[in-house]
Amino acid sequence: MPELPTGDATLSIVLVSNGPGELTTWVRPLAAALHRSMLLRPRAGASPISLRLVLVPCPNATGSEAEVAQAWGLFDRITSAAQFWSLLLRPGRFGPWASRGVVVFLGGDQFWSVLLSARLGYRHITYAEWVARWPRWNDRVAAMGPDVRSQLPRRFRSRCTVIGDLMADLSSHAREQEPLPPGEWLALLPGSKRAKLCVGVPFLLETADRLAVLRPGCRFLLPVAPTTSPEELLHFAGSSNPIAACYRASIAQIIGPSPAWPGRSLITGAGTVIHLHEDPPAHGPLSQCALALTTVGANTAELGALGVPMLVLVPTQHLGVMQAWDGWLGLLARLPGLRRCIGWLLSAWRLRNHGFLAWPNISAGRLVVPERVGAITPEAIAREADEWLASPERLQGQRDDLRSLRGQPGAVRALAGEIRELLPKALTD
């Protein structure tokens, strides 16, 4: 039963994040866990504790993250990334703030949450996947693994607790949710950002057409990212996207629900049916897919946490538009005027020196899932996908490797507990 904290002082829990992947896989599960363990606004209108979301600047954000999060009904107030600097300067412009609270870093640049906690005078906790960059200004560090703690200066290690991988909780009960109709299912994940969609949509549509010829019984699932829409997919498959002219596939129509599928579906020009899942996150349906074809990004971590075998695709023949890199590389690649030239050079350099690109491979430090980087073609990828689907033992081997990396569930609950422990300390400041 949720507990209502004693005392008449008001408090705020502020989750700080950036892009669509972090919102779906970190922010939403944690927010739901906090509501389960405490009475919080907006779900408990009389509670003295408000749960808020602050989005921070990020080159990979789509701009619709605030709208997506608003639909969840989990947050008392949401501040968009475009308003972040105004928030730092004049917090009062964005509604009343409790005099005490806790800021929780869940994506983006860790320095933004340091600034925000200092500006609001709140306690601060960082969820650190690989490194905690500002331990001096953190009351707590919640680490994904022991390596994060070992990298900290000794005087700050007492502040760090290893809670595990937040993504490990994704697979809990996922297969029982939204069971797919019988058949051999393959997931298509073209990305959620424009730079990836303009390549991923036409590439994967043609791949699906070719695989449908090789495996007539194969069924296709395309989870629509919360920051895009089927109509936008139609745009990227059409003549308004110059890259689409490099591929044979097209979208002939979008059809409504039918007895065979409860949602909408795409019909390609070749007649391939691709079923859409428009109610993110699609963890249940994805977990039932035999294989996924995906771009790089947070979706590789999501698939890995669900134990879904995958082929990770980076078609380098379109480097001029592939500017969806993180950090300063992504910022430079978007400079006006020189954007195309700099984007091409930076992407080429990044690919040549990339190490691993998929999150399961980065986490393991070895090749767990195949990364197909180069001038790859839909024909070649369709053939490779056919070979994987025809080898259940290979798929099971990759699935077992992914599950061994995932760790035990419970990180979301542990992080919620760390936040709860900071609330009384915030009251006594």
Side-chain angles (χ1 to χ4, degrees), residues 15-138:
L15 308 186
V16 175
S17 192
N18 55 341
E22 290 79 3
L23 280 180
T24 301
T25 58
W26 291 356
V27 172
R28 187 176 184 178
L30 177 62
L34 288 169
H35 277 291
R36 286 194 299 269
S37 63
M38 293 183 285
L39 295 176
L40 305 172
R41 299 197 307 272
R43 292 190 172 178
S47 173
I49 306 182
S50 168
L51 183 61
R52 304 179 65 149
L53 174 66
V54 172
L55 298 165
V56 295
C58 173
N60 291 333
T62 65
S64 59
E65 285 79 8
E67 181 181 352
V68 170
Q70 187 69 48
W72 297 338
L74 294 169
F75 302 103
D76 200 21
R77 288 181 182 270
I78 298 173
T79 306
S80 70
Q83 299 170 317
F84 181 71
W85 296 111
S86 297
L87 170 64
L88 287 180
L89 292 172
R90 296 177 62 185
R93 295 179 60 187
F94 300 91
W97 290 84
S99 59
R100 295 290 183 265
V102 178
V103 170
V104 186
F105 171 81
L106 289 170
D109 191 317
Q110 293 180 22
F111 190 58
W112 301 148
S113 59
V114 169
L115 288 177
L116 182 62
S117 62
R119 181 68 179 88
L120 297 174
Y122 286 6
R123 295 277 184 166
H124 185 208
I125 180 171
T126 289
Y127 175 67
E129 275 190 295
W130 312 113
V131 61
R133 301 188 184 282
W134 309 98
R136 181 187 301 274
W137 290 281
N138 273 271

Side-chain angles (χ1 to χ4, degrees), residues 141-422:
V141 174
M144 183 175 76
D147 288 348
V148 175
R149 190 174 188 275
S150 65
Q151 293 174 39
L152 292 173
R154 291 188 180 276
R155 64 184 182 278
F156 298 128
R157 291 179 185 175
S158 61
R159 303 181 186 182
C160 181
T161 301
V162 177
I163 65 168
D165 188 350
L166 292 180
M167 303 285 282
D169 288 352
L170 291 184
S171 62
S172 300
H173 310 297
R175 286 183 176 270
E176 287 75 24
Q177 303 168 7
E178 303 177 80
L180 289 174
E184 180 182 72
W185 286 87
L186 182 136
L188 305 171
L189 288 87
S192 59
K193 307 174 183 70
R194 183 180 182 87
K196 292 179 179 177
L197 288 168
C198 65
V199 179
V201 170
F203 188 98
L204 288 179
L205 287 178
E206 182 175 336
T207 303
D209 280 343
R210 291 180 178 275
L211 185 56
V213 174
L214 296 172
R215 301 184 73 82
C218 189
R219 309 187 72 176
F220 298 94
L221 173 74
L222 197 160
V224 180
T227 50
T228 186
S229 68
E231 290 71 26
E232 193 171 14
L233 299 179
L234 187 63
H235 163 80
F236 285 112
S239 58
S240 54
N241 176 18
I243 291 177
C246 302
Y247 299 94
R248 298 179 182 178
S250 63
I251 296 176
Q253 60 179 319
I254 300 176
I255 63 173
S258 69
W261 183 253
R264 291 194 284 178
S265 302
L266 302 178
I267 309 296
T268 71
T272 305
V273 180
I274 300 175
H275 299 298
L276 303 177
H277 187 281
E278 299 182 64
D279 184 22
H283 298 154
L286 276 175
S287 68
Q288 299 164 65
C289 290
L291 181 68
L293 305 181
T294 178
T295 59
V296 293
N299 45 353
T300 63
E302 188 172 0
L303 290 168
L306 292 170
V308 180
M310 70 190 88
L311 300 179
V312 181
L313 313 177
V314 184
T316 61
Q317 59 267 39
H318 306 295
L319 283 177
V321 297
M322 293 178 63
Q323 299 156 13
W325 305 117
D326 297 328
W328 66 271
L329 291 178
L331 292 173
L332 286 178
R334 290 164 177 77
L335 287 176
L338 297 177
R339 180 173 60 184
R340 183 169 294 274
C341 178
I342 292 177
W344 192 93
L345 291 173
L346 286 175
S347 294
W349 175 85
R350 173 72 174 265
L351 288 169
R352 179 168 292 184
N353 300 274
H354 70 268
F356 294 120
L357 295 173
W359 283 109
N361 297 340
I362 294 171
S363 178
R366 59 183 175 88
L367 195 66
V368 175
V369 302
E371 297 179 0
R372 299 298 175 242
V373 181
I376 56 177
T377 66
E379 181 180 13
I381 296 303
R383 285 199 308 268
E384 183 171 6
D386 178 43
E387 292 170 0
W388 276 90
L389 291 170
S391 304
E393 67 283 355
R394 291 181 68 198
L395 291 172
Q396 187 59 47
Q398 188 184 143
R399 193 176 291 114
D400 291 342
D401 281 346
L402 291 170
R403 287 172 177 166
S404 69
L405 292 173
R406 188 176 64 221
Q408 295 298 315
V412 171
R413 184 175 63 253
L415 181 53
E418 292 286 317
I419 295 167
R420 291 190 63 183
E421 288 185 12
L422 279 181

